């Protein structure tokens, strides 16, 4: 299911808060309701219990007083006793009536029945008292009636005590039920709230992370991939603005490369004329030169050669950078090739330089077929070998090894020159970086050769590194098949 983001980041944040808070609010409301229910229930229970026990106690006391008055009347025949009985009776009946009106509890029918029976017995006593005059027979009958009434009172007291226990039991059960209900709610609410928090954190963090990645890619100069951020509308718009920025950078990159090409072309033509002119002079084609003149002509030729190389390196480096930024697959002309053949070709072109410095070359190359851009790999080998020759002492040894490891071709170029200091091992691949020893020894160079090597190797998804050794030892690892996800 495709989730639709709200229009703004703020709205997403508020919706997130609301949805996460919703189950918590529902839980709180439900808890408040169950506490309210419990409190009403306990109030009712306390009311019932106190009413029943107090009434039962009062009724027992009243029935004793009434018995005394009635019996006194039966024996002595004093009418005031009947009046006193009548007074007590009013309260007695009123209290019994309260039992009859008791709100529904499981014991209410029993209590009601007992109260009704007590009413009937008392009514009989009252009729006897008002209709009969004092006599031993009346005394006897009253004794029987009050014995029955006292039995009723005991039953009422017993039932009232039972009612108290029952109400306490009901309350305890209700409290346990509420507690369990709260526990179950917590068990359901806490994980769901946590889940929702996790979900919203992801929804909020995802577009921000996408923006971060996009900005990082721009910063690294990787301009090939379109920037697309999915999220609230305002963040998506930010993504679109970043993509606009990316396109602007591509245009600038393009302009820079064209400018470079243009300038180098403009520089190269007169430079070539200068070099060729100085070569004609040194070769004596335009007439014999004195030794001083030849020296000047040679300096001119050397410097125009250096300048030509610098311009060529700059151009190559700038093109490689642009191709890398725009991830142009076309920048590589990939074909099956034999790395060993490329090494042989490069060695042939460097022969004169090696002879000039009396360098011994040791070749130890396996035949390794791989996919790659022959022209660029030739530049890689050429730059590494020419550095080795350049930085080797006269009469030094340079070794080239080519082998296989898993799905990679492994090329090593080794020399017994001054080597590379540990702190320079990463820096020498930076453009224009030249080590202090290289600068102080007066060796000519632009500091671009290894930067180009690294660019070309990385375009092939390979790595180049310096291995700690007595002299310099460069190792290039190239996958035989370039992975598709470039
Ligand atoms: P450069 O034109 O200066 O040779 P590179 O990019 O080819 O530029 O090399 C960068 C630096 O790496 C050099 O200035 C040098 O200090 C160091 N370097 C490269 N190859 C070697 C080597 N074979 N032996 C010693 N130092 C080397």
């Amino acid at each position: 299911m495709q989730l639709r983001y709200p229009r703004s980041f703020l709205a997403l944040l508020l919706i997130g808060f609301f949805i996460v808070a919703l189950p918590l609010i529902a839980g709180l409301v439900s808890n408040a309701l169950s506490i309210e229910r419990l409190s009403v229930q306990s109030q009712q229970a306390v009311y019932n219990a106190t009413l029943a026990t107090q009434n039962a106690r009062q009724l027992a006391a009243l029935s004793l007083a009434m018995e005394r008055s009635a019996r006194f009347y039966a024996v002595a025949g004093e009418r005031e006793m009947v009046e006193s009985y009548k007074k007590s009776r009013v309260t007695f009946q009123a209290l019994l009536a309260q039992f009859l009106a008791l709100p529904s509890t499981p014991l209410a029918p029993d209590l009601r029945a007992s109260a009704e029976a007590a009413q009937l017995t008392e009514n009989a006593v009252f009729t006897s008292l008002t209709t009969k005059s004092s006599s031993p027979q009346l005394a006897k009958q009253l004794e029987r009636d009050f014995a029955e009434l006292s039995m009723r009172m005991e039953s009422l007291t017993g039932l009232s005590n039972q009612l108290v226990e029952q109400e306490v039991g009901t309350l305890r059960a209700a409290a346990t039920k509420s507690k369990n209900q709260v526990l179950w709610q917590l068990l359901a609410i806490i994980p769901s709230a946590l889940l929702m928090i996790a979900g919203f954190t992801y929804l909020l963090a995802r577009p921000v992370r996408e923006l971060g990645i996009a900005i990082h890619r721009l910063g690294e100069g990787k301009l090939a991939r379109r920037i697309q951020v999915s999220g609230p509308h305002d963040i998506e718009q930010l993504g679109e603005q970043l993509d606009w920025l990316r396109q602007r950078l591509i245009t600038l990159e393009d302009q820079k490369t064209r400018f470079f090409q243009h300038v180098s072309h403009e520089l190269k033509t007169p430079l070539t004329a200068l070099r060729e002119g100085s070569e004609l002079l040194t070769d004596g084609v335009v007439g014999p030169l004195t030794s001083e003149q030849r020296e000047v002509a040679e300096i001119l030729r050397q410097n125009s050669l250096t300048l030509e190389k610098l311009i060529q390196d700059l151009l190559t480096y700038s093109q490689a950078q642009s191709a890398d930024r725009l991830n142009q697959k076309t920048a590589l002309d990939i074909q099956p090739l034999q790395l060993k053949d490329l090494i042989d070709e490069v060695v042939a072109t460097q022969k004169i330089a090696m002879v000039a410095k009396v360098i011994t070359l040791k070749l130890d190359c396996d035949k390794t077929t791989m996919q790659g851009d022959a022209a660029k790999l030739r530049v890689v080998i050429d730059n590494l070998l020419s550095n080795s020759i350049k930085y080797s002492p006269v009469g030094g040894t340079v070794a080239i090894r080519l082998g296989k490891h898993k799905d990679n071709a492994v090329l090593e170029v080794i020399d017994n020159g001054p080597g590379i200091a540990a702190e320079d091992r990463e820096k020498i691949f930076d453009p224009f970086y030249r080590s202090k020893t290289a600068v102080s020894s007066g060796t000519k160079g632009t500091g671009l050769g290894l930067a180009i090597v690294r660019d070309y190797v990385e375009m092939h998804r390979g790595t180049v590194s310096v291995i700690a050794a007595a002299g310099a030892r460069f190792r290039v690892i190239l996958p035989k098949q370039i992975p598709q996800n470039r």
Side-chain angles (χ1 to χ4, degrees), residues 383-384 387-388 390-391 415 418-420 428 433-435 437-438 444-451 472 474:
N383 285 3
L384 290 176
N387 273 353
S388 278
K390 192 161 66 173
Y391 294 103
D415 64 61
I420 289 138
I428 51 168
Y433 184 83
R434 304 199 68 219
S435 72
T437 26
K444 287 203 168 60
T446 57
L448 279 172
L450 288 182
F474 286 86

Side-chain angles (χ1 to χ4, degrees), residues 5 207 211 228-241:
Y5 272 97
L211 275 181
Q228 229 175 344
V229 177
S230 51
H233 190 61
D234 47 4
I235 301 279
E236 279 182 356
Q237 268 183 339
L238 257 182
E240 280 164 24
Q241 279 168 356

Side-chain angles (χ1 to χ4, degrees), residues 309 313 383-392 413-415 417-420 424 427-439 443-453 471-474:
K309 171 94 170 69
D313 278 358
N383 285 3
L384 290 176
L385 181 61
S386 62
N387 273 353
S388 278
I389 298 168
K390 192 161 66 173
Y391 294 103
S392 278
V413 181
I414 307 158
D415 64 61
I420 289 138
D424 280 340
K427 291 189 210 147
I428 51 168
F429 295 101
D430 292 344
F432 304 108
Y433 184 83
R434 304 199 68 219
S435 72
K436 281 195 201 94
T437 26
V439 177
T443 330
K444 287 203 168 60
T446 57
L448 279 172
L450 288 182
I452 293 170
V453 166
R473 181 169 179 180
F474 286 86

Side-chain angles (χ1 to χ4, degrees), residues 126-202:
F126 184 63
T127 320
S128 306
L129 276 183
T130 45
T131 54
K132 292 182 185 162
S133 48
S134 68
S135 65
Q137 288 91 336
L138 179 63
K140 270 230 156 70
Q141 193 193 336
L142 284 176
E143 194 182 339
R144 274 197 309 275
D145 286 348
F146 274 108
E148 195 185 324
L149 195 60
S150 135
M151 221 173 63
R152 304 278 173 228
M153 290 304 103
E154 271 171 33
S155 135
L156 265 180
T157 313
L159 282 168
S160 299
N161 289 341
Q162 268 186 41
L163 183 73
V164 172
E165 278 168 29
Q166 203 178 53
E167 292 294 336
V168 169
T170 320
L171 263 187
R172 201 176 290 137
T176 316
K177 194 177 153 201
S178 290
K179 195 179 86 186
N180 288 342
Q181 195 180 329
V182 169
L183 270 178
W184 281 113
Q185 269 174 2
L186 283 182
L187 276 181
I189 287 172
I190 291 175
S192 60
L194 286 178
L195 258 177
M196 279 191 266
I197 287 173
F200 273 98
T201 310
Y202 170 75

